[in-house]
Amino acid sequence: MKRILVADCKQEISSFNPLPSGYENFHIRRGAELYEQRGTNQELGGAFAVFEARPDIEIVPAIGARSGSAGILSAEGWKRLSDEILATIFAKLDGVDGIYFSMHGAMAAEGELDPEGYLLMKLRERVGPDMPIVISLDLHGILTDRMLRQVNGFTIYWTYPHVDFADTGRRAAELLLNIMDNNLRPVAARVVMPALVRGDELITKSGCYGDLLRDCRRLEEEGKALAAGIMIGNPFTDVPELCSQVLVITDGDRETAEREAVRLAEEFWPQRFRMQGKLISLDRAIAQARTMPGPLIFTDAADATSSGASGDSNAIIAALSSAGYDKKVLAPIVDAKAAAAAHAAGVGATIEVTLGGTVDPARFTPMKVTAKVKLLSDGEAVLETMKAPLSAGPTAVLTFGSFTVVVMSRSVSLFDRAMYYANGLDPLDFDLIVVKSPHTEYHMFEEWCEHNFNIDAPGSTSANLKSLGHTICARPMYPMEPDVTFSPQPVIYNLKG
């Protein structure tokens, strides 16, 4: 029997969210609790299916630590989390022959701007140079030099909006077994591109980014690469190695890895202009919305909680209210005080509260409303595609004028309709729906709305990247410096094992 240890650690942060996250943001699963992902569209679900199909493989489930996107992780939270993850893994290493570690790639903590690299470095120090380690990553992650020096292989999402979680875990598990069974000697080529990208061209089903990722997939399917991907980072995770990058792994074929990585980078670079957010001013969007029957989507990507934003932006609902927009509006917001007031008053009560500006008051001024409490809930929901749990804390549905607002105590990912559905609301019943995510799966909103307005609003995940104030990432960096030049400089890694 070959024993494979499995672990999971994920968080995506925005450095521009003023509220740090902590240990309490993480859902910790230990040992056999990781099997909760069996059969789900999650990385471990895909990996378990591969490992369990092999009678000669024994799985050693170690620990899973997942947090919704948020602000930078506090130093205290990181120390407690990293100590627990490493101690749990180290206690299970006896007799282990290989390791699969599911990661995100866009973590950052106070005092440690490469948390994934730290965990992998400490793991490598403990297991020595011969233990195969394979990781999987979100394409919005940052695969750092330190991470690459610890691992034998990696797999990266190929879809956005993301639907290939389990498939990425499957590919990682198959790559790990291939390395273990066949004594492969993986070599990786990495080409870093000084560009941050956003916008509709990143939708892999229809955008130019998807064309490039399909070529990465072709390289794997044809056997020319063990793994290939293009990571675009999370533009809001302001860390030293934030960038876009091409990564190609082959079995000892340095020439092919280098050639394909350079080719893909040269194809990506001229399209960086297209891969930027196309925004419309809020005033103009409202003016146009008045003349349209709808339903309409107002995308508030600047307050995208799935990218690390605070979720307490009231910019859109305040502007719609001031403009006298009188059609039915549905919107989410994070405001623990307002949710608590609603729970104290009870369903049917009328309360006077402020909405928004509780987490990021420098950007958002609290909005006074007199509202009716329509529904109260525990804020529990399940993501539509991943089937992963959401926990927004005490939640209330408040109505005032033509507005229906889902008020949550904590930020959760809002890249689908889960929180609306969990609180008895169907977006199809409204004329204008606020979506706090840059993109969603097509059938969720785009398929049935008349138009989706990508609003230029303030927020810690604004697609207007120049407005955020990066101070740590390498410069020059497009689009902050529009005239930056680029010449592919591949770096070769002879991966361990």
Side-chain angles (χ1 to χ4, degrees):
M1 295 288 288
K2 294 180 180 178
R3 306 181 78 233
I4 295 178
L5 184 142
V6 174
D8 188 27
C9 180
K10 286 193 181 65
Q11 185 184 38
E12 183 176 19
I13 70 100
S14 170
S15 304
F16 310 105
N17 180 343
L19 179 66
S21 55
Y23 176 87
E24 64 277 2
N25 286 71
F26 285 81
H27 297 275
I28 309 295
R29 297 290 183 267
R30 300 170 182 85
E33 291 176 334
L34 293 183
Y35 289 126
E36 294 173 5
Q37 291 194 40
R38 270 190 182 129
T40 67
N41 187 19
Q42 300 182 60
E43 289 91 324
L44 296 193
F48 286 150
V50 172
F51 294 143
E52 290 175 337
R54 287 269 300 261
D56 61 330
I57 296 297
E58 178 186 351
I59 300 171
V60 181
I63 188 169
R66 290 191 170 198
S67 167
S69 302
I72 192 167
L73 182 58
S74 68
E76 297 81 7
W78 166 241
K79 185 179 188 311
R80 182 178 175 187
L81 180 71
S82 58
D83 285 351
E84 181 174 351
I85 289 173
L86 291 172
T88 304
I89 291 175
F90 290 171
K92 291 177 172 283
L93 284 174
D94 285 350
V96 164
D97 301 289
I99 296 171
Y100 167 48
F101 208 145
S102 169
M103 294 180 154
H104 184 284
M107 289 184 73
E110 294 173 347
E112 178 51 77
L113 296 180
D114 181 15
E116 293 95 340
Y118 173 86
L119 293 174
L120 291 170
M121 180 184 70
K122 291 298 183 182
L123 181 56
R124 178 58 73 187
E125 288 175 356
R126 174 59 70 96
V127 301
D130 298 327
M131 175 77 73
I133 301 174
V134 169
I135 62 175
S136 59
L137 295 160
D138 192 314
L139 57 81
H140 290 108
I142 301 134
L143 183 52
T144 66
D145 175 81
R146 180 165 65 167
M147 293 169 69
L148 279 161
R149 294 183 185 280
Q150 317 307 320
V151 301
N152 303 83
F154 50 80
T155 58
I156 302 163
Y157 296 172
W158 280 333
T159 64
Y160 176 71
H162 307 313
V163 295
D164 62 334
F165 307 101
D167 187 63
T168 304
R170 173 192 63 78
R171 291 189 290 123
E174 291 175 346
L175 177 57
L176 177 58
L177 292 176
N178 194 7
I179 292 170
M180 294 171 64
D181 292 342
N182 299 304
N183 297 314
L184 304 186
R185 307 298 295 181
V187 58
R190 179 194 192 208
V191 178
V192 170
M193 300 170 290
L196 305 181
V197 295
R198 211 69 178 154
D200 291 345
E201 288 294 335
L202 301 182
I203 298 175
T204 51
K205 187 174 182 179
S206 58
C208 61
Y209 178 49
D211 294 336
L212 295 171
L213 289 185
R214 280 184 285 276
D215 220 24
C216 293
R217 181 168 191 159
R218 175 187 62 80
L219 291 175
E220 287 194 27
E221 296 291 339
E222 291 179 352
K224 293 180 179 178
L226 297 174
I230 302 173
M231 300 180 75
I232 53 177
N234 179 34
F236 320 112
T237 307
D238 189 17
V239 294
E241 292 188 52
L242 176 62
C243 65
S244 296
Q245 57 182 312
V246 178
L247 297 135
V248 178
I249 306 176
T250 63
D251 180 17
D253 187 350
R254 170 177 175 156
E255 181 180 347
T256 296
E258 183 172 331
R259 182 182 67 250
E260 295 296 340
V262 168
R263 177 182 65 82
L264 288 164
E266 289 176 338
E267 293 180 9
F268 180 99
W269 181 250
Q271 302 189 75
R272 69 195 183 281
F273 303 102
R274 295 174 63 187
M275 290 186 276
Q276 298 297 316
K278 299 172 180 64
L279 304 174
I280 183 171
S281 71
L282 186 47
D283 289 345
R284 186 177 179 188
I286 293 172
Q288 292 184 16
R290 289 180 183 278
T291 68
M292 303 171 71
L296 305 171
I297 306 301
F298 271 28
T299 290
D300 188 7
D303 196 37
T305 51
S306 56
S307 300
S310 53
D312 66 327
S313 172
N314 55 20
I316 289 178
I317 59 174
L320 287 166
S321 179
S322 296
Y325 184 84
D326 58 2
K327 295 183 180 180
K328 294 184 294 182
V329 176
L330 176 63
I333 200 163
V334 174
D335 193 316
K337 291 182 180 179
H343 276 258
V347 173
T350 297
I351 59 175
E352 293 185 1
V353 293
T354 61
L355 288 179
T358 57
V359 179
D360 197 350
R363 289 188 174 98
F364 313 118
T365 301
M367 174 185 179
K368 293 182 179 180
V369 300
T370 300
K372 183 176 181 179
V373 182
K374 291 289 290 184
L375 182 143
L376 299 172
S377 79
D378 58 6
E380 300 293 317
V382 176
L383 287 168
E384 290 184 66
T385 297
M386 290 181 71
K387 304 302 180 186
L390 298 175
S391 184
T395 295
V397 176
L398 301 184
T399 61
F400 52 95
S402 62
F403 294 85
T404 298
V405 181
V406 179
V407 185
M408 299 165 287
S409 295
R410 296 189 293 270
S411 66
V412 294
S413 293
L414 297 172
F415 52 71
D416 65 7
R417 300 161 294 188
M419 287 306 299
Y420 286 146
Y421 286 160
N423 288 279
L425 299 166
D426 187 342
L428 280 167
D429 294 334
F430 294 83
D431 301 300
L432 190 155
I433 304 95
V434 177
V435 177
K436 293 196 174 188
S437 174
H439 298 101
T440 63
E441 292 181 50
Y442 178 74
H443 71 277
M444 294 177 180
F445 296 100
E446 293 276 355
E447 183 176 49
W448 48 264
C449 76
E450 181 181 359
H451 188 70
N452 185 346
F453 291 91
N454 193 7
I455 305 298
D456 189 2
S460 58
T461 57
S462 171
N464 182 358
L465 301 180
K466 293 181 181 180
S467 72
L468 293 172
H470 291 79
T471 60
I472 299 174
C473 71
R475 307 295 280 270
M477 181 72 68
Y478 181 84
M480 286 86 86
E481 287 78 37
D483 298 326
V484 60
T485 59
F486 167 68
S487 176
Q489 301 295 325
V491 177
I492 303 300
Y493 295 82
N494 290 307
L495 302 183
K496 295 178 178 290

